[in-house]
Amino acid sequence: MLIVGGPVPSPEHHRVGHPERPGRVEAAMAGIDDLHLDEDVEVVPGQAAPLDRLALVHPPAFLQELAAFCGAGGGDLDPDTYSTPQSFEAARRVVGAGLAAIDRLKVLQAGVAFVAARPPGHHALADRAMGFCLLNAVAVGAASLVAEGERVLIVDWDVHHGNGTQAIFWNDPSVLYVSTHQWPLYPGTGAAREIGGADALELTVNVPLGPGATGDALRRGIDELAGPAVDAFGPTWVLVSAGFDAHRDDPLADFALSSGDFAELAKTVQGFVPRPGRLALFLEGGYDLLAVRGSVAATLGELLGAPYDAEDPTSDDRSGAMVERARAERVRAIRSAEELEREGPG
Amino acid sequence: MTVRTIAVGYDGSIGAQLAARFAFDLANQLGANIVLVHAIGLLGRTDEIEIVRDLEETAVVMAGEAGIDPGHARWHVSQGDPCSALLRAGNPPLSADLLVVGSRGHRNDAGLPLGSTSHELAERATVPLVIVPSTRAD
């Protein structure tokens, strides 16, 4: 069973010519239609997320400022990120769709959820909108689960590092954050040496990879670097920041993945899910509409066991070295943190 | 403390221009090298050639105005948001030992109250930081 959170295409949050546009959600929904799931799809529209749920991540003062800025007409939040008078409410609906999808999974205790909504969220910091993102939907979803005593693994395979999500849970021992991303690239965070705060050491796993990285590099990064951390952490829920801008046709980045690679990534992540009904994917980036459509179909087809068409998975001889560099940097950072801990204060 | 390299955040805004002029003057007084750092955001990739042209021109003009040998003035295009780009300027290869930033860049030109590069840098910078007010008396 596929639970679709949304769809929330947010046509009222739109600037002509900007790559982060309503057609992205339509493309994702077309990918779902391509699977011909018939009765195996349940759409959960959700409502604007209540402010008290948003406040699990975003300070009330920030929410008030963002609402007021949008309400006064909106405008540029940074050179990349626009807002309209309706953007705050649109972003609330994105978060609400995510919460509704998670709630539905809890009831069903089965299936997979996909939140087909925009604007994306993983760059949004607790108190700052950036990188096309206003509110961090995956973070609010995770924080809501943590508030109920759950342990949440967030896997972020968007081509850009999810700096917002990492920062929000940097020192939270209830969340394990794993990201594969292009390096160097926006936003500039996500070095392998970033391993988490004092209360959550090793609960941030970054796998920065060079331009041209193929699917096998991301899979190996998740398997080999994140796998041991996931085993040690023992998640009770898995959320995915599912950007599809690592696809080779995406105009904003330089990875070389195919749609079939996303199916392989999904299979890898599915191995981390502790039991049925504990996996929810959130649409993040992805700016080539055909790539989004094909990649969403491949991802969800793989997770649901439904037939799908996909491009062949990709691999490259350089992948092993890329992953090894990340591993070596992470190991050095862990050793350094352990030494500091042994030495103690002063 | 010896200041060998000053990195100044530059996004072309009025605030960034004020900060850059201050930084070039300071570099001249201290005999330091200076590097203009421009962060390319998500969309900036498509305008990179234009950005580089603007940075080159700005570096040459400001060096001339401040009386600095143009050989000591560089520019650097960095992938990332402005804060992370400037934070990384303190590491090799730039190895800046002083950061300079305007109190208001493009992000805050419209009086946007939501966070700011200068505030975030003030919290996270690992080398000394100068924040140049956007409304200087001179």
Side-chain angles (χ1 to χ4, degrees), chain A residues 18-19 62 65-66 69 76-80 127-132 160 184-189 193 251-254, chain B residues 11 40-46 79-85 88 91 106-107 110-117 120 124:
Chain A
H18 198 288
F62 165 75
E65 285 179 338
L66 184 59
F69 184 79
D76 288 343
L77 293 157
D78 67 25
D80 298 312
D127 61 354
R128 181 174 158 198
M130 62 182 282
F132 305 169
H160 304 96
L185 191 67
Y186 185 93
T189 50
R193 65 177 176 275
L252 294 192
D254 310 299
Chain B
D11 64 4
I40 287 202
L42 278 164
L43 297 177
R45 289 164 52 89
T46 53
Q79 298 273 356
D81 86 305
C83 184
S84 70
R88 281 180 285 134
N91 302 327
H106 272 320
R107 179 179 172 78
L112 191 65
L114 314 171
S116 75
T117 300
E120 196 173 341
R124 298 176 57 197

Side-chain angles (χ1 to χ4, degrees), chain B residues 54-136:
Chain B
D54 182 47
L55 283 174
E56 279 178 330
E57 193 178 313
T58 302
V60 169
V61 168
M62 288 197 175
E65 287 174 356
I68 291 178
D69 178 347
H72 293 290
R74 293 179 292 153
W75 50 268
H76 180 76
V77 173
S78 181
Q79 298 273 356
D81 86 305
C83 184
S84 70
L86 280 164
L87 287 173
R88 281 180 285 134
N91 302 327
L94 297 184
S95 302
D97 26 39
L98 181 69
L99 303 179
V100 177
V101 67
S103 61
R104 300 178 91 83
H106 272 320
R107 179 179 172 78
N108 298 86
D109 272 352
L112 191 65
L114 314 171
S116 75
T117 300
S118 54
H119 287 174
E120 196 173 341
L121 277 171
E123 287 180 5
R124 298 176 57 197
T126 54
V127 298
L129 167 72
V130 175
I131 298 174
V132 178
S134 293
T135 49
R136 291 178 65 192

Side-chain angles (χ1 to χ4, degrees), chain A residues 207-210 212-221 224 314-326:
Chain A
V207 187
L209 301 164
T214 44
D216 60 326
L218 278 76
R219 286 195 301 279
R220 287 183 65 167
E224 297 173 20
T314 59
S315 62
D316 189 276
D317 291 344
R318 298 172 304 158
S319 297
M322 283 188 188
V323 173
E324 191 48 44
R325 269 196 297 276

